[in-house]
Amino acid sequence: MTETASSSSTPARERAAALLAPGSQLHGFTVERSEAVAELDADVYVLHHGPSGARLLYLACEDENKAFAIGFKTPPTDDTGVFHILEHSVLCGSAKFPVKEPFVDLIKSSMQTFLNAMTYPDKTVYPVATTNEQDLLNLMDVYMDAVLNPAIYSKKTIFEQEGWHLEVDEGEGGSDEPGSLRYNGVVFNEMKGALSDPTDVLNNAVMRALFPNTAYRFESGGHPRAIPTLTYEQFLDTHARHYNLANSYIVLYGDMDADRVLGFLDDRYLSDAAREAAAQVKREAGTLVENPGAPNVLELQEPVTCDYTSVEMNTTPENALVGMAYVVGDALDRKRVLAADVLFEALLGSNEAPVKKAILAAGLGGNVLSYTEAACLQPYELIILQNAQPESAQAFRQVIEDECRRLAEEGIPRERLEAVISSEEYALRQRDYGIADGVAIACDLLSTWLYDDDAATLALSYGPVYAELRRELDTDYFERLLRELVLESDHCALTELVPHEAAEGDIDPEVAELAELHAKMSADDLAAVQAEVDALRAAQEAEDTPEAKATLPRLHVSDIGPARPEPALTLDTRTPLPCLKHDIPTHKLAYLMMYFDLTHVSYAELPYVSIFARLMKQLGTRRRSASELDSYVGSNLGFLAFAPEVMAQPNWKLARPVMTVAAGALSEKLEYLASIPAEVWGETVFDDTDRIRDVLTQMRIGMEQGFITAGHQAALSRAWSYVSPAGVVSQNISGVDFYRFLRELLEHFDERVDDLVEKLRDLQQRIFTSTGTVASFTGSDEDYERFWAAAGQMGLAERTAPAKELYVPMPEPKREAFIIPSDICYVAKAADPRAMGLAMDGSWSVAATVLSYDYLWNEIRVKGGAYGCGFRAVADRQLCFYTYRDPAIDPSIERIAEAGAWLDSFEPDQQAFEGFIVSCVASHDAPQKPYALTRRQNIEFFTKRPVGWREQLRAEMLACTPDKLRALGETIGRVSEEAPLCVFGGREVIERSNAGLKPVDLLA
């Protein structure tokens, strides 16, 4: 691979400092200013490209996981979701890259560690990340051409596919009259799924109440009732007015050759010559929009007070919600925004937080959530009452304001505020965003930069603000802020989501609308609709020409480079407890994980183990009340978590459940990493049965929300339990079986609570022993020695209680279709290759990439309109198909059934196949944060992976050939046929299916 400056020994920050002195000019850019950001170990440079008007910010740091993002200010003026549809559509081909799905082609062929696009209420962002600089340039090239020169102007079918179109529906399962109409489209179906979530519906209503005269009153993702009103002409006009360089915000991040990258942007897209060349291509094609007009304006909302408003939703009574929202102020007042976040977290962030505690004590609902929405022009705090009692809205507000008044007068407990600030400071050092750092930072930047060019870096420097807030603990700052935000607010809204269940005979408004439209259409009109669908299908099924494919930039296997060395993992038996010692740099953090054996617990007791884990930290100990413990943990640990999990074993018939206790701390607070977990697991008392009921109710509500919003995960887990004993155990501790246990326990809580408490006390004595326990530590060698010197045996003695028999029922297919409040469905099929007698190697990982992003994407997402789909091959232990926010069941099942035959005839060209290998290996090699890497290595230890298995898997991916993939076709056909099916979905979607599923009213 050709070496670039970014791979030299000179640190990225030094190279950037030499190149980008403030006031200097480079490739049309003027460097306006620079500053150091200690929190990110980075230097940030603010640049402006004079000829094009583009803004650019570069964060120079040593992170090999480089990132690029381009964003646009896109405030909507209606509920049609035009910006969401554009986000999807511009990635469906462009002038320079005239293939149907360049976005998918990049997933299939690049070394990307992140590749996506996101629509926010006021902006649209297109970020990418990769560890390879040439790959970064390739990704930038495709994304820049996509947003600036998309194929949407010459291909209306893109709008129809990604947005909406009419279809003549022949009726799935024979339940509809032939010839009826229906809407279809990826965004249309995605939003039907999104707006099946009551929390989303409530949030939209809150924003309409808070911002009745600004862009925030609209659903930026699109409302299914409004999406079909969007015309193709409006769609194109909106793109022309907003997707231009003067309205853009570009971010670069990481260790790269800034001279090369800036020159690339200028030469290809920003210079006068580049922009004129692109305009000439459009003129010749007849797609150039002259003087498109100004972009939509984003305005401030004058303060408004909404004493009460409501929105109805067809959902179950348990989904009743109330929201109380308070506008915090200006996004550019960072101290106020961060202080509000700290304040409300201290008041509402746990069951022991005083305002949440008061709400729960009032018996108004089952749970309280809150969050500070900072990524908008006027940040606000939203407090949500879940499982709300009828007509509780005004009482909810009263409790909030009464408790806030008391706290403002008597003082907010400083230990709570200090605990939140400490937790935030821990998160700053950890820098674990869950996605590539550069992508998260790029999006965060726009929470201020979008509203003021002078605020480009305002969102980056958290440290000084938190230091200032810590000093304010000695003043009445937080009490004054609480009065201003809640008690004296002139910009707030109280909103209620009122459930109603459709009565028999009620007609859905969408169905009624389509029926009325159908009645007005002649046979010729219906034929015209069908002709448009036929044209769309033809466009979707047409193969990209070799010439079009050749335009895409490609990496080769030779660009991959050697595997990243695996950090050392050793089992240290010299320590008081056997310990897995990880050699992973952690930025002066330390991570402890404890694995307690559960094989001595009976199968019937496993649901109680889950309840026990959830109650840890929620109840007091012998030394501290629940409130004191809550603050104590927050002040001294970054996190503390208890959870049962199942470790699959080489023998597919075996499952090893463990109780995992995980904690993290700053190096300077290492002693708490030993003392606090031991206090919690060993000294928790179970006397507060009212609090136990509250926590169990919150568990139930959280699981019900998960079934609605992440039904594919629930369906995959359930389908897995049809074939795997490990899956059966997982269902009993966290799946449908556990949910049913939990619900039944709550329904009979008063009569069972004494037995429950006794069972929890018994489990506490039996689980937390030294017998079979393994520890894990990640941190410096010095911290490792200090930890064990302080920890000793952590209060653990050998188990003396007799073991019970963990008899796990054998799995069996059940063909269940779980009914949830939704207009879409999630389909899953799962198999265990070992139970089927299948031997697997790295070729299966390549096959999963090929099937997911070639066959299934085109058949189920593009043609079928589902928002997502895929095939997974989890090493040698799991195979599964799934769909996400899918409009129908049977067509997806049929397409899954044909996956093996498709692979059997798979004939990729050499470049395309090499791209699959590159993508697959890059995913395998993707960098991981210390905690995630620790967890991965621990799981590999407990699941008995042999030493070097990852290296072997990687080598097998690299050795894969088209012949090897085709040889898997027959086997995958067998998997698709034999793998049991599970569905989560709306009642109507399930009833239309002819798949022979057993409907189950899960939430009834």
Side-chain angles (χ1 to χ4, degrees), residues 776-798:
S776 162
F777 187 91
T778 307
S780 68
D781 290 343
E782 179 186 355
D783 283 350
Y784 183 74
E785 299 299 330
R786 286 173 53 217
F787 170 78
W788 282 113
Q793 287 276 129
M794 299 186 77
L796 300 171
E798 290 189 7

PDB file of all heavy atoms in Angstrom, residues 776-798:
ATOM      1  N   SER A 776     -12.371 -10.218  36.078  1.00  0.00           N
ATOM      2  CA  SER A 776     -11.695  -9.672  34.894  1.00  0.00           C
ATOM      3  C   SER A 776     -11.290  -8.245  35.225  1.00  0.00           C
ATOM      4  O   SER A 776     -12.081  -7.494  35.800  1.00  0.00           O
ATOM      5  CB  SER A 776     -12.634  -9.696  33.689  1.00  0.00           C
ATOM      6  OG  SER A 776     -12.184  -8.828  32.668  1.00  0.00           O
ATOM      7  N   PHE A 777     -10.062  -7.869  34.875  1.00  0.00           N
ATOM      8  CA  PHE A 777      -9.589  -6.509  35.160  1.00  0.00           C
ATOM      9  C   PHE A 777      -8.895  -5.955  33.930  1.00  0.00           C
ATOM     10  O   PHE A 777      -8.073  -6.628  33.305  1.00  0.00           O
ATOM     11  CB  PHE A 777      -8.616  -6.517  36.346  1.00  0.00           C
ATOM     12  CG  PHE A 777      -8.228  -5.136  36.806  1.00  0.00           C
ATOM     13  CD1 PHE A 777      -8.955  -4.481  37.783  1.00  0.00           C
ATOM     14  CD2 PHE A 777      -7.134  -4.488  36.239  1.00  0.00           C
ATOM     15  CE1 PHE A 777      -8.613  -3.208  38.200  1.00  0.00           C
ATOM     16  CE2 PHE A 777      -6.779  -3.206  36.643  1.00  0.00           C
ATOM     17  CZ  PHE A 777      -7.519  -2.560  37.630  1.00  0.00           C
ATOM     18  N   THR A 778      -9.223  -4.696  33.616  1.00  0.00           N
ATOM     19  CA  THR A 778      -8.570  -3.977  32.529  1.00  0.00           C
ATOM     20  C   THR A 778      -8.083  -2.645  33.064  1.00  0.00           C
ATOM     21  O   THR A 778      -8.874  -1.854  33.594  1.00  0.00           O
ATOM     22  CB  THR A 778      -9.534  -3.741  31.356  1.00  0.00           C
ATOM     23  OG1 THR A 778     -10.119  -4.980  30.967  1.00  0.00           O
ATOM     24  CG2 THR A 778      -8.809  -3.132  30.167  1.00  0.00           C
ATOM     25  N   GLY A 779      -6.805  -2.404  32.976  1.00  0.00           N
ATOM     26  CA  GLY A 779      -6.197  -1.182  33.490  1.00  0.00           C
ATOM     27  C   GLY A 779      -4.691  -1.340  33.491  1.00  0.00           C
ATOM     28  O   GLY A 779      -4.149  -2.354  33.020  1.00  0.00           O
ATOM     29  N   SER A 780      -4.012  -0.352  34.034  1.00  0.00           N
ATOM     30  CA  SER A 780      -2.551  -0.414  34.064  1.00  0.00           C
ATOM     31  C   SER A 780      -2.078  -1.508  35.017  1.00  0.00           C
ATOM     32  O   SER A 780      -2.817  -1.952  35.905  1.00  0.00           O
ATOM     33  CB  SER A 780      -1.986   0.935  34.510  1.00  0.00           C
ATOM     34  OG  SER A 780      -2.305   1.171  35.873  1.00  0.00           O
ATOM     35  N   ASP A 781      -0.829  -1.924  34.845  1.00  0.00           N
ATOM     36  CA  ASP A 781      -0.264  -2.928  35.746  1.00  0.00           C
ATOM     37  C   ASP A 781      -0.256  -2.424  37.185  1.00  0.00           C
ATOM     38  O   ASP A 781      -0.517  -3.184  38.129  1.00  0.00           O
ATOM     39  CB  ASP A 781       1.164  -3.278  35.314  1.00  0.00           C
ATOM     40  CG  ASP A 781       1.205  -4.065  34.014  1.00  0.00           C
ATOM     41  OD1 ASP A 781       0.147  -4.618  33.620  1.00  0.00           O
ATOM     42  OD2 ASP A 781       2.281  -4.119  33.382  1.00  0.00           O
ATOM     43  N   GLU A 782       0.027  -1.152  37.363  1.00  0.00           N
ATOM     44  CA  GLU A 782       0.039  -0.577  38.707  1.00  0.00           C
ATOM     45  C   GLU A 782      -1.356  -0.639  39.320  1.00  0.00           C
ATOM     46  O   GLU A 782      -1.525  -1.019  40.487  1.00  0.00           O
ATOM     47  CB  GLU A 782       0.527   0.870  38.652  1.00  0.00           C
ATOM     48  CG  GLU A 782       0.536   1.558  40.010  1.00  0.00           C
ATOM     49  CD  GLU A 782       0.893   3.034  39.913  1.00  0.00           C
ATOM     50  OE1 GLU A 782       1.226   3.497  38.797  1.00  0.00           O
ATOM     51  OE2 GLU A 782       0.816   3.725  40.949  1.00  0.00           O
ATOM     52  N   ASP A 783      -2.374  -0.277  38.528  1.00  0.00           N
ATOM     53  CA  ASP A 783      -3.745  -0.330  39.036  1.00  0.00           C
ATOM     54  C   ASP A 783      -4.168  -1.763  39.338  1.00  0.00           C
ATOM     55  O   ASP A 783      -4.934  -2.015  40.284  1.00  0.00           O
ATOM     56  CB  ASP A 783      -4.704   0.301  38.030  1.00  0.00           C
ATOM     57  CG  ASP A 783      -4.656   1.824  38.052  1.00  0.00           C
ATOM     58  OD1 ASP A 783      -4.028   2.381  38.968  1.00  0.00           O
ATOM     59  OD2 ASP A 783      -5.247   2.447  37.148  1.00  0.00           O
ATOM     60  N   TYR A 784      -3.691  -2.690  38.548  1.00  0.00           N
ATOM     61  CA  TYR A 784      -4.017  -4.108  38.778  1.00  0.00           C
ATOM     62  C   TYR A 784      -3.518  -4.554  40.154  1.00  0.00           C
ATOM     63  O   TYR A 784      -4.270  -5.173  40.926  1.00  0.00           O
ATOM     64  CB  TYR A 784      -3.374  -4.945  37.678  1.00  0.00           C
ATOM     65  CG  TYR A 784      -3.675  -6.428  37.739  1.00  0.00           C
ATOM     66  CD1 TYR A 784      -4.927  -6.918  37.369  1.00  0.00           C
ATOM     67  CD2 TYR A 784      -2.699  -7.339  38.142  1.00  0.00           C
ATOM     68  CE1 TYR A 784      -5.194  -8.286  37.404  1.00  0.00           C
ATOM     69  CE2 TYR A 784      -2.951  -8.706  38.178  1.00  0.00           C
ATOM     70  CZ  TYR A 784      -4.204  -9.171  37.806  1.00  0.00           C
ATOM     71  OH  TYR A 784      -4.471 -10.519  37.854  1.00  0.00           O
ATOM     72  N   GLU A 785      -2.296  -4.219  40.471  1.00  0.00           N
ATOM     73  CA  GLU A 785      -1.747  -4.604  41.777  1.00  0.00           C
ATOM     74  C   GLU A 785      -2.470  -3.868  42.895  1.00  0.00           C
ATOM     75  O   GLU A 785      -2.776  -4.456  43.944  1.00  0.00           O
ATOM     76  CB  GLU A 785      -0.237  -4.307  41.816  1.00  0.00           C
ATOM     77  CG  GLU A 785       0.582  -5.066  40.787  1.00  0.00           C
ATOM     78  CD  GLU A 785       0.485  -6.578  40.960  1.00  0.00           C
ATOM     79  OE1 GLU A 785       0.300  -7.038  42.116  1.00  0.00           O
ATOM     80  OE2 GLU A 785       0.599  -7.302  39.950  1.00  0.00           O
ATOM     81  N   ARG A 786      -2.738  -2.594  42.712  1.00  0.00           N
ATOM     82  CA  ARG A 786      -3.444  -1.810  43.733  1.00  0.00           C
ATOM     83  C   ARG A 786      -4.848  -2.371  43.975  1.00  0.00           C
ATOM     84  O   ARG A 786      -5.321  -2.436  45.111  1.00  0.00           O
ATOM     85  CB  ARG A 786      -3.558  -0.349  43.298  1.00  0.00           C
ATOM     86  CG  ARG A 786      -2.264   0.455  43.387  1.00  0.00           C
ATOM     87  CD  ARG A 786      -2.444   1.831  42.767  1.00  0.00           C
ATOM     88  NE  ARG A 786      -3.595   2.521  43.350  1.00  0.00           N
ATOM     89  CZ  ARG A 786      -4.422   3.315  42.662  1.00  0.00           C
ATOM     90  NH1 ARG A 786      -4.224   3.506  41.361  1.00  0.00           N
ATOM     91  NH2 ARG A 786      -5.420   3.912  43.273  1.00  0.00           N
ATOM     92  N   PHE A 787      -5.510  -2.759  42.871  1.00  0.00           N
ATOM     93  CA  PHE A 787      -6.871  -3.263  43.009  1.00  0.00           C
ATOM     94  C   PHE A 787      -6.905  -4.510  43.870  1.00  0.00           C
ATOM     95  O   PHE A 787      -7.681  -4.610  44.830  1.00  0.00           O
ATOM     96  CB  PHE A 787      -7.489  -3.550  41.633  1.00  0.00           C
ATOM     97  CG  PHE A 787      -8.799  -4.293  41.733  1.00  0.00           C
ATOM     98  CD1 PHE A 787      -9.959  -3.626  42.062  1.00  0.00           C
ATOM     99  CD2 PHE A 787      -8.856  -5.669  41.543  1.00  0.00           C
ATOM    100  CE1 PHE A 787     -11.161  -4.307  42.195  1.00  0.00           C
ATOM    101  CE2 PHE A 787     -10.044  -6.361  41.668  1.00  0.00           C
ATOM    102  CZ  PHE A 787     -11.205  -5.677  41.992  1.00  0.00           C
ATOM    103  N   TRP A 788      -6.075  -5.487  43.555  1.00  0.00           N
ATOM    104  CA  TRP A 788      -6.141  -6.749  44.294  1.00  0.00           C
ATOM    105  C   TRP A 788      -5.653  -6.595  45.732  1.00  0.00           C
ATOM    106  O   TRP A 788      -6.132  -7.299  46.639  1.00  0.00           O
ATOM    107  CB  TRP A 788      -5.371  -7.841  43.560  1.00  0.00           C
ATOM    108  CG  TRP A 788      -6.161  -8.374  42.401  1.00  0.00           C
ATOM    109  CD1 TRP A 788      -5.878  -8.252  41.078  1.00  0.00           C
ATOM    110  CD2 TRP A 788      -7.407  -9.073  42.483  1.00  0.00           C
ATOM    111  NE1 TRP A 788      -6.859  -8.833  40.308  1.00  0.00           N
ATOM    112  CE2 TRP A 788      -7.818  -9.349  41.155  1.00  0.00           C
ATOM    113  CE3 TRP A 788      -8.215  -9.483  43.525  1.00  0.00           C
ATOM    114  CZ2 TRP A 788      -8.990 -10.028  40.855  1.00  0.00           C
ATOM    115  CZ3 TRP A 788      -9.397 -10.162  43.240  1.00  0.00           C
ATOM    116  CH2 TRP A 788      -9.779 -10.430  41.915  1.00  0.00           C
ATOM    117  N   ALA A 789      -4.745  -5.642  45.951  1.00  0.00           N
ATOM    118  CA  ALA A 789      -4.324  -5.386  47.331  1.00  0.00           C
ATOM    119  C   ALA A 789      -5.485  -4.860  48.162  1.00  0.00           C
ATOM    120  O   ALA A 789      -5.631  -5.183  49.347  1.00  0.00           O
ATOM    121  CB  ALA A 789      -3.171  -4.382  47.336  1.00  0.00           C
ATOM    122  N   ALA A 790      -6.346  -4.057  47.520  1.00  0.00           N
ATOM    123  CA  ALA A 790      -7.504  -3.498  48.228  1.00  0.00           C
ATOM    124  C   ALA A 790      -8.677  -4.473  48.251  1.00  0.00           C
ATOM    125  O   ALA A 790      -9.453  -4.496  49.210  1.00  0.00           O
ATOM    126  CB  ALA A 790      -7.933  -2.190  47.561  1.00  0.00           C
ATOM    127  N   ALA A 791      -8.816  -5.291  47.219  1.00  0.00           N
ATOM    128  CA  ALA A 791     -10.027  -6.112  47.063  1.00  0.00           C
ATOM    129  C   ALA A 791      -9.987  -7.380  47.885  1.00  0.00           C
ATOM    130  O   ALA A 791     -10.997  -7.769  48.494  1.00  0.00           O
ATOM    131  CB  ALA A 791     -10.229  -6.457  45.589  1.00  0.00           C
ATOM    132  N   GLY A 792      -8.868  -8.056  47.909  1.00  0.00           N
ATOM    133  CA  GLY A 792      -8.824  -9.356  48.559  1.00  0.00           C
ATOM    134  C   GLY A 792      -9.857 -10.302  47.958  1.00  0.00           C
ATOM    135  O   GLY A 792     -10.018 -10.383  46.740  1.00  0.00           O
ATOM    136  N   GLN A 793     -10.599 -10.988  48.813  1.00  0.00           N
ATOM    137  CA  GLN A 793     -11.636 -11.918  48.351  1.00  0.00           C
ATOM    138  C   GLN A 793     -12.961 -11.218  48.065  1.00  0.00           C
ATOM    139  O   GLN A 793     -13.932 -11.873  47.690  1.00  0.00           O
ATOM    140  CB  GLN A 793     -11.877 -12.997  49.405  1.00  0.00           C
ATOM    141  CG  GLN A 793     -10.766 -14.025  49.525  1.00  0.00           C
ATOM    142  CD  GLN A 793     -10.898 -15.137  48.502  1.00  0.00           C
ATOM    143  OE1 GLN A 793      -9.937 -15.449  47.802  1.00  0.00           O
ATOM    144  NE2 GLN A 793     -12.061 -15.750  48.398  1.00  0.00           N
ATOM    145  N   MET A 794     -13.005  -9.895  48.247  1.00  0.00           N
ATOM    146  CA  MET A 794     -14.224  -9.099  48.023  1.00  0.00           C
ATOM    147  C   MET A 794     -15.390  -9.640  48.859  1.00  0.00           C
ATOM    148  O   MET A 794     -16.548  -9.592  48.422  1.00  0.00           O
ATOM    149  CB  MET A 794     -14.580  -9.048  46.534  1.00  0.00           C
ATOM    150  CG  MET A 794     -13.483  -8.390  45.704  1.00  0.00           C
ATOM    151  SD  MET A 794     -13.932  -8.146  43.982  1.00  0.00           S
ATOM    152  CE  MET A 794     -15.018  -6.713  44.122  1.00  0.00           C
ATOM    153  N   GLY A 795     -15.064 -10.152  50.022  1.00  0.00           N
ATOM    154  CA  GLY A 795     -16.111 -10.634  50.920  1.00  0.00           C
ATOM    155  C   GLY A 795     -16.736 -11.944  50.522  1.00  0.00           C
ATOM    156  O   GLY A 795     -17.762 -12.336  51.089  1.00  0.00           O
ATOM    157  N   LEU A 796     -16.176 -12.635  49.555  1.00  0.00           N
ATOM    158  CA  LEU A 796     -16.779 -13.859  49.033  1.00  0.00           C
ATOM    159  C   LEU A 796     -16.188 -15.096  49.707  1.00  0.00           C
ATOM    160  O   LEU A 796     -14.963 -15.232  49.809  1.00  0.00           O
ATOM    161  CB  LEU A 796     -16.561 -13.956  47.520  1.00  0.00           C
ATOM    162  CG  LEU A 796     -17.154 -12.816  46.686  1.00  0.00           C
ATOM    163  CD1 LEU A 796     -16.674 -12.917  45.239  1.00  0.00           C
ATOM    164  CD2 LEU A 796     -18.677 -12.840  46.746  1.00  0.00           C
ATOM    165  N   ALA A 797     -17.054 -15.983  50.141  1.00  0.00           N
ATOM    166  CA  ALA A 797     -16.632 -17.274  50.705  1.00  0.00           C
ATOM    167  C   ALA A 797     -17.111 -18.397  49.789  1.00  0.00           C
ATOM    168  O   ALA A 797     -17.924 -18.181  48.882  1.00  0.00           O
ATOM    169  CB  ALA A 797     -17.222 -17.444  52.105  1.00  0.00           C
ATOM    170  N   GLU A 798     -16.634 -19.586  50.028  1.00  0.00           N
ATOM    171  CA  GLU A 798     -17.054 -20.712  49.195  1.00  0.00           C
ATOM    172  C   GLU A 798     -18.533 -21.022  49.410  1.00  0.00           C
ATOM    173  O   GLU A 798     -19.080 -20.808  50.496  1.00  0.00           O
ATOM    174  CB  GLU A 798     -16.213 -21.949  49.521  1.00  0.00           C
ATOM    175  CG  GLU A 798     -14.772 -21.839  49.062  1.00  0.00           C
ATOM    176  CD  GLU A 798     -14.027 -23.159  49.206  1.00  0.00           C
ATOM    177  OE1 GLU A 798     -14.686 -24.178  49.543  1.00  0.00           O
ATOM    178  OE2 GLU A 798     -12.808 -23.170  48.985  1.00  0.00           O
TER     179      GLU A 798
END
